[in-house]
Amino acid sequence: MNAAAREVAVVKAKPYPFFFTPKTTTLIVIDMQRDFIEHGGFGAVLGNDVSLLAKAVQAVKDLMSLCRRHQVSMIHTREAHRADLSDCPPAKLRRGHATLRIGDAGAMGCILIDGETGNEIVPELAPLPGETVIVKPGKGAFYATLLDDLLRGRGITHLLFAGVTTEVCVQTTMREANDRGYECLLVEDATESYIPAYKLAILEMLRAQGGIIGWTAPLAAISSALEGTCRRCVGYRGRPSEEQCRRMNGC
Ligand code: C5J
């Protein structure tokens, strides 16, 4: 691990600056799957305009590249069920579209089933060899998975979040993580919702009351923190230390 991975990065975030070290931080990319983003999958079957989620792909891609350049580790998730649906609670199965349900044959294979075409992560965001992919049966990525053990085993204390949808799997996972003691930040332009007003509401909700669930910040602020100059620290070139930023008033 090089020195940069141990340095503190300071993000100009809401409701106040977010400090993290790459070495103890993981980017969690939630469910950037064809089933939610492309036509013919689970999201479309439920009547959603999937093009709204496709808007996040480029920002997620840029965020992934940034994290890879700065040794921020990465975990991808996929919402998926076994083909026999033994991990799908009847309540989940009953909801949604009246006739086309989880496990039924759709345009990209059986809907939300592990191994089907629709369940794959979109090609632009394909995980690199060695990056972990968590297959999760729930909306939250901690439910019925080894995610918490994995993060604790790697000494991770801080999480950056990206992915879809803001108001379902992303916020559920961020809330689960917050309850487990992780410091969490959602990257604002690297998440999308089928209902844009919900996205805005969730961003407000998560950071309300002094960051009750965590922080939010645009990708540009993460990028500045990792590779740029701290703009408010006039005259200071390079990444400021935590102490320097505190002294220079919350950059
Ligand atoms: C949904 C998700 N919306 N990944 N899943 O069912 O947000």
Side-chain angles (χ1 to χ4, degrees), residues 124 173 206:
E124 303 93 306
T173 304
L206 295 173

Side-chain angles (χ1 to χ4, degrees), residues 190-207:
T191 181
E192 284 300 337
S193 168
Y194 295 123
I195 302 152
Y198 285 1
K199 170 180 168 176
L200 297 178
I202 295 302
L203 294 177
E204 291 277 352
M205 243 179 243
L206 295 173
R207 65 189 180 220

